[in-house]
Amino acid sequence: MELTLAKKPTSATRTERPFPTREEVLAFIAENPGESGKREISRAFGIKGADRIPLKALLKDLAESGAIDKRRGSLIRSGDLPPVTVLEVTGRDRDGELTAEPAEWFEEQGPAPKVLVARGHGKGPTAGAGDRILARLSKEGAGEGYAYTARIIKLLAAKPATVLGVYRETPRGPQLEPVDRKQKALEIERDGIKGAKDGDLVSVTVSRRGRYGMDLARVTEVIGSMQNEKAVSLIAILSHDIPHVFPDDVIAEADKAKPATMKDREDWRDLPLLTIDPADAKDHDDAVHAVADDDPDNAGGFVVTVAIADVAAYVTPGSPLDREALVRGNSVYFPDRVVPMLPERISNDLCSLREDEDRPALAVRMVFSADGRKLSHLFHRVMMRSAAKLSYTQAQDAFDGKTIDADRRVTDALGVLWDAYKALRRGRDDRSPLELDLPERRLVLGKDGSIERVIVPERLESMRLIEEFMIQANVAAAETLEAKKSPLVYRIHDAPSLAKLEALRDFLRSIDMTFPKGGNLRPSNFNQILSRVRDTEHDHLLHEVVLRTQSQAEYHPENIGHFGLNLRRYAHFTSPIRRYADLIVHRALVGALKLGAGGLPKGIEADLPEIAAQISAAERRAMAAERDTVDRLVAHWLADRVGATFTGRIAGVTRAGLFVKLDETGADGFVPMRSLGPDYFHFDEARRAVIGQRTGETHRLGDSVEVKLVEAVPLAGALRFELLTEGKVTAKKDRPADTRTPGRNKVGRAKPGRGKAKGKAKAGKAGGKAARGKRR
């Protein structure tokens, strides 16, 4: 499709000044965000032939200076938003116009750009404060104080019918303190209290809105005291607008579903396919099998089979089940509950690959060489019967030669699986995907819903086996659909932006390391620098920095490859019970390979960009809700330990202060800059550190520290710490110049015995939110 580009120079202009200035190129990119590549710039400014060489040099210089970023093959100015993005409507300005901010924006990026939402003039979707929208952005008509104008494409999540918060008795009368800090307090009508007591967690509905002042509300449900941790995950569910109650027509459709038949299926029920999952898993959507290849031309090779639950057999396009699954986007996992994408009748029964029960599946048989290269693959629609349901621990015991409670057929199958994995592992090592070692903690709750302990699950080879088999199945799905020229949704992961790479180079220079410029950037480049600091003081720190350098993985109908996995094409296929993207890929395979009913509907190509944006937003929403729940649970758990000391690491460095992640729990808390010490502390972005101008005292991302818990706010999931550890001293020549503004006072940390640190806890979920959720 031909792009419409702004301010294209005339031929007269090109004759007078044939080559654009740096400022003109930046202006052009700003006016055409996400639609400006080298070809478009050349066309707009009439650059041809040899003149493209200095243009390439100019773009390289702009990139290395951090002025522009590359995103999905196009250029944008650093800090700019993509042309189509998800926004949250924040309210109205003085003129009554709707305002919005990016739904995904991290504190480390600075202030979020303000967006003016254009009026729809009675056409198209309309939005209100609290809504989440998919919008097309432009610079035109933004007005003073706004970075963009947004035109609504689709309303993703309307303002919830209920608002969640804590009931408060105030001198002005009953009020609601909303859980969402962006929402203002609500006056509760006196006859609408419904027995709520001060401090109760309640949900309310807005019953009437005056032209001025607070909204009026009525209590619809008294959920209970905040002392009940069972309410904590519900706070995240409601505050993030996660659908958690299935509509009646969805439940009715699920209840009427009948087991799939053998029509259009191959009979694979005698094949000893095994499910290997966490011990507490309830839905089993993948099963695996391997056998040595008997082809003499592939000596030492294996035939690996991955069978995935055939959700497309039960969830048909446009049905109530399908519409609800798209709205949910994915299942959401909390420490005390799961909010499933599909009703239990589908997810835990008809589609779950239960042991010794007939289940429909979409399977792929892949042939691998002895060195782990995939030689071929073929998809089948089958009826299977799982030979055993195994946990990761059981499978690992079998791999380690221990005796497990399983028959000979199962143990023999496990033996061949292990041999096949060793071959695939050789292929993985040759591919060299990004290898980050950042263990995640898991909360174990007691019967009362409170935290019993925090564990770091061991990373078993049985987990890596399933991961690698699933990755290969996902690759096979993408390759097949691409070859068939079928529409699909890819799982894409862009290379790090040029600005982030330059920031990484700045950081590496501060620890006497370098990172290559130019050339074909690969994950192995990062792996090399990570291996150089293994078991040194910089090991954990560099893993954090490299993670923050990476882009966010997402769904998109156009392929740019998966940088982290070092794969040219990749699509999620292996978890259709819990991810809508996988269901799309299943339908595409069924249709493209003519495997029976349940293929993609005609004309879906036009809807895929919107669907991809919606499920990408749902994924980020789930991640935020899961993170908020953990933060609130931990803050509640630590609320009675104010004054206690903990060890941790600096997980985020900003101009406002330090974020510290505790070793014991993985909890994040904030250390305000004003409490750091009797010095002026300067934020050094390149070093990821704050440095005292006079003393040289330095606190850097990744440093081990000891902190004292000063404040815990369970409702916000926020912790505030006092830093007890003295920082290392930076040489005087490397200290920042005095950047204090006239009249600004010095600030000091409350040292032990010198009084208490001041300031309220920050509720902004610490530790650099961008450091989490880089999901594959």
Coordinates of all heavy atoms in Angstrom, one line a residue, residues 9 38 107-108 169 173 224 227 247 260 276 330 339 346 382 387 398 505 536 635 673 706 756:
P9 N 9.3 17.4 -0.3 CA 9.9 18.5 -0.9 C 9.6 18.6 -2.4 O 9.4 17.6 -3.0 CB 11.4 18.3 -0.7 CG 11.5 17.3 0.4 CD 10.3 16.5 0.3
K38 N 14.5 4.1 5.3 CA 15.5 4.8 4.5 C 14.9 5.0 3.1 O 15.1 6.0 2.4 CB 16.8 3.9 4.4 CG 17.9 4.5 3.6 CD 19.2 3.8 3.7 CE 19.1 2.4 3.0 NZ 20.4 1.7 3.0
E107 N 8.5 4.2 34.6 CA 9.1 5.4 35.2 C 10.5 5.8 34.7 O 10.8 6.9 34.6 CB 9.1 5.2 36.7 CG 7.8 5.1 37.4 CD 7.9 4.9 38.9 OE1 9.0 4.8 39.4 OE2 6.8 4.8 39.5
E108 N 11.2 4.7 34.3 CA 12.6 5.0 33.8 C 12.6 5.8 32.5 O 13.6 6.4 32.1 CB 13.3 3.7 33.6 CG 13.4 2.8 34.8 CD 12.3 1.8 34.8 OE1 11.1 2.2 35.0 OE2 12.6 0.6 34.7
E169 N -14.9 6.3 56.7 CA -15.8 7.3 57.4 C -15.0 8.5 57.6 O -13.9 8.5 58.3 CB -16.3 6.7 58.8 CG -17.2 5.5 58.7 CD -18.6 6.0 58.3 OE1 -18.8 7.2 58.2 OE2 -19.5 5.1 58.1
G173 N -18.4 12.7 55.6 CA -19.3 11.7 55.3 C -18.6 10.4 54.7 O -17.4 10.4 54.5
G224 N -15.0 -7.5 52.2 CA -14.4 -7.9 53.4 C -13.3 -7.1 53.8 O -12.9 -6.1 53.2
Q227 N -7.6 -7.7 55.7 CA -6.8 -8.7 56.4 C -7.0 -10.0 55.7 O -6.2 -11.0 55.9 CB -7.3 -8.8 57.9 CG -7.0 -7.6 58.7 CD -5.6 -7.2 58.8 OE1 -4.7 -8.1 59.0 NE2 -5.3 -5.9 58.6
P247 N -20.1 -14.8 31.0 CA -21.5 -14.6 30.7 C -22.3 -15.9 30.6 O -21.7 -16.9 30.3 CB -21.5 -13.8 29.4 CG -20.1 -13.2 29.3 CD -19.2 -14.2 30.0
A260 N -15.3 -34.5 21.1 CA -15.0 -34.6 19.7 C -15.0 -36.1 19.2 O -14.8 -37.0 20.0 CB -13.6 -34.0 19.4
I276 N 4.0 -33.5 30.5 CA 5.0 -33.2 31.6 C 4.7 -31.7 32.0 O 5.0 -30.8 31.1 CB 6.4 -33.4 31.1 CG1 6.6 -34.9 30.6 CG2 7.4 -33.1 32.2 CD1 8.0 -35.1 30.0
N330 N -6.0 -14.1 27.3 CA -5.2 -15.2 27.9 C -5.7 -15.5 29.3 O -6.5 -14.7 29.9 CB -3.7 -14.7 28.0 CG -3.5 -13.3 28.5 OD1 -3.1 -12.4 27.8 ND2 -3.9 -13.1 29.8
V339 N -7.6 -17.0 36.6 CA -8.7 -16.5 35.8 C -8.5 -17.1 34.4 O -7.7 -16.6 33.6 CB -8.8 -15.0 35.8 CG1 -9.9 -14.5 34.9 CG2 -8.9 -14.4 37.2
I346 N -14.3 -26.6 29.3 CA -13.4 -26.7 28.1 C -12.0 -26.8 28.5 O -11.3 -27.8 28.1 CB -13.6 -25.4 27.2 CG1 -15.0 -25.2 26.8 CG2 -12.7 -25.5 26.0 CD1 -15.6 -26.3 25.9
V382 N -5.5 -35.4 15.1 CA -5.5 -36.8 15.6 C -6.5 -36.9 16.8 O -7.0 -35.9 17.3 CB -4.1 -37.2 16.0 CG1 -3.1 -37.0 14.9 CG2 -3.7 -36.4 17.2
A387 N -0.4 -41.4 27.8 CA 0.0 -42.6 28.5 C 0.3 -42.3 29.9 O 0.3 -43.3 30.8 CB 1.2 -43.2 27.8
A398 N 13.5 -39.5 36.4 CA 13.7 -40.6 35.4 C 15.0 -40.3 34.6 O 15.8 -41.2 34.3 CB 12.5 -40.7 34.5
R505 N 26.2 0.5 25.8 CA 27.7 0.8 25.5 C 28.2 1.8 26.6 O 29.3 1.6 27.1 CB 27.9 1.3 24.1 CG 27.6 0.3 23.0 CD 28.0 0.8 21.7 NE 27.7 -0.2 20.6 CZ 26.6 -0.1 19.9 NH1 25.8 0.9 20.0 NH2 26.3 -1.0 19.0
T536 N 31.6 -12.9 38.7 CA 32.3 -11.7 39.1 C 31.2 -10.8 39.8 O 30.0 -11.0 39.9 CB 32.9 -10.9 38.0 OG1 31.9 -10.3 37.2 CG2 33.7 -11.8 37.1
A635 N 3.6 -6.9 50.6 CA 3.5 -5.7 51.5 C 2.6 -6.0 52.7 O 2.9 -5.5 53.8 CB 2.9 -4.5 50.7
M673 N 15.4 9.7 47.0 CA 16.7 10.3 46.8 C 17.0 11.2 48.0 O 18.2 11.3 48.4 CB 16.7 11.1 45.5 CG 18.1 11.7 45.1 SD 19.1 10.4 44.4 CE 18.7 10.5 42.7
E706 N 21.9 -3.3 52.3 CA 21.1 -3.6 53.4 C 20.2 -2.4 53.6 O 20.6 -1.3 53.5 CB 21.9 -3.8 54.7 CG 21.1 -4.3 55.9 CD 22.0 -4.5 57.1 OE1 23.2 -4.2 57.1 OE2 21.5 -5.0 58.1
K756 N 14.5 9.6 61.8 CA 13.8 8.8 60.8 C 13.9 9.4 59.4 O 13.8 10.6 59.3 CB 12.4 8.6 61.2 CG 12.2 7.8 62.5 CD 10.8 7.6 62.9 CE 10.6 6.8 64.2 NZ 9.2 6.7 64.5

